[in-house]
Each structure stands twice: as C-alpha cells, then as structure tokens.
Amino acid sequence: MVDFLDTLLGIDSDSLTWWQMSIRAVVVFIVALIIMRIGNKRIFGKQTAFDIVLGIIYGSILSRAITGNSPFWPTLAAALILVLLHRFLAFLAYNTEGFIGPFIKGNPVCLIRDGQLQEDKLKKHNLTDNDLQEALRSGGVSSIKEVESAYLERSGDISIVKKAT
C-alpha cells in the first residue's frame, strides 16, 4: 500500500508526471482545507499583516508540495506547523498584556478626531487626501466636518464614525 501511494504521488521520483502533480494537487487541496479547519476561521478573513504573512508563506509551501520542489510529507507538516503557530500567536495576542498583542496584530491609528484632520498621522502612514476622501465617500460622508473620528484599522481599512446629528 505504501509503495502504491509513493508511486501515485511520485515520492522519491526525480521528475513528476502530469498525473502525479494532479493527484498531489488534489491531496494538497484536501489537506490544506483540513489544516485550515485546525486553525481558525479568521486566518484569512481579517487580512491584517499577521494574516497576510501566513497566507503568502502557506501558499508558497503548499505549492512546493505540488510541484515536487520539496519533500511531500515534510512540506505538508510544515504547513500544519505554520497554521498552528498562527493560532498560538493569536492566542498570545489575545491573552497577554503589553507589547505582544500590538506587535503581532498592530494598532488602529486615529486620522480624524472631532472633525479635525490629523495630518501627521496621514503623512506617517503614507495616506493621501484621495485615500481619505475615498474612505469618506464609502462611509457616506461628504465632509471631514461631519466626522467624529476616523481610524486606519489594523487591516488597512479606514473606518469612519459620523458625528451625532
């Protein structure tokens, strides 16, 4: 059975056939879904830097398993370890005080406070007036004067809180 599986997946083969890569792709897809279920639902949902880094590395590692550029089973194990690391760091960020949480997940930045533009914050985060105007329009606001506060969120989105009328 093990020999059949090794042949089917092209384990220890110098070159992979099209069908071995295809079978690897199916196996990697199924294993990746299982690994993602071991992780948590927010891994690719929030798109913070913390999540994006995992996504890039995860995809890169799994592609190597499909193409045979790395050993198949150890590569899948590395993908599992990355997702478990992500889950552990998210646990640390949630359950610890001080530096760890903000370092891992970042902090929101106030861009508008009481209708006043915080130009130093815009400059520090390389946000243009056009970026801010787009966020205002998306928030249904036509003027900064209508805004109680606006934040550059950890995900990179800009959230708008309108003044009470």
Side-chain angles (χ1 to χ4, degrees):
M1 180 64 179
V2 172
D3 289 338
F4 173 73
L5 190 58
D6 285 353
T7 301
L8 195 63
L9 295 172
I11 307 294
D12 296 327
S13 179
D14 290 337
S15 64
L16 298 173
T17 65
W18 68 269
W19 57 269
Q20 286 171 324
M21 283 185 71
S22 298
I23 291 169
R24 280 177 173 233
V26 170
V27 170
V28 167
F29 180 80
I30 292 167
V31 170
L33 283 175
I34 292 167
I35 290 172
M36 294 312 297
R37 295 291 181 228
I38 291 169
N40 59 32
K41 293 181 183 207
R42 71 168 300 280
I43 284 179
F44 293 112
K46 297 293 184 184
Q47 296 302 311
T48 63
F50 177 59
D51 303 319
I52 292 169
V53 167
L54 173 68
I56 292 168
I57 296 171
Y58 189 69
S60 176
I61 286 174
L62 291 177
S63 71
R64 296 176 70 76
I66 294 171
T67 61
N69 291 336
S70 294
F72 189 73
W73 299 115
T75 302
L76 294 181
L80 173 62
I81 295 299
L82 273 177
V83 170
L84 292 175
L85 175 64
H86 183 273
R87 189 175 183 128
F88 175 71
L89 290 175
F91 171 82
L92 275 181
Y94 180 79
N95 290 296
T96 60
E97 300 282 330
F99 174 75
I100 293 174
F103 176 74
I104 292 172
K105 295 190 173 193
N107 284 319
V109 176
C110 185
L111 303 175
I112 300 174
R113 177 171 283 130
D114 298 322
Q116 298 296 313
L117 188 61
Q118 308 295 304
E119 292 185 36
D120 58 327
K121 304 293 185 182
L122 288 173
K123 185 175 180 179
K124 179 179 180 183
H125 295 280
N126 298 314
L127 292 169
T128 66
D129 187 53
N130 288 335
D131 296 327
L132 190 57
Q133 292 301 320
E134 178 182 349
L136 291 175
R137 288 188 300 273
S138 294
V141 176
S142 57
S143 167
I144 290 175
K145 302 290 185 217
E146 299 174 41
V147 176
E148 176 70 29
S149 60
Y151 286 88
L152 174 62
E153 301 295 352
R154 299 178 316 177
S155 65
D157 293 334
I158 298 174
S159 62
I160 306 292
V161 178
K162 296 178 188 178
K163 286 184 178 177
T165 54

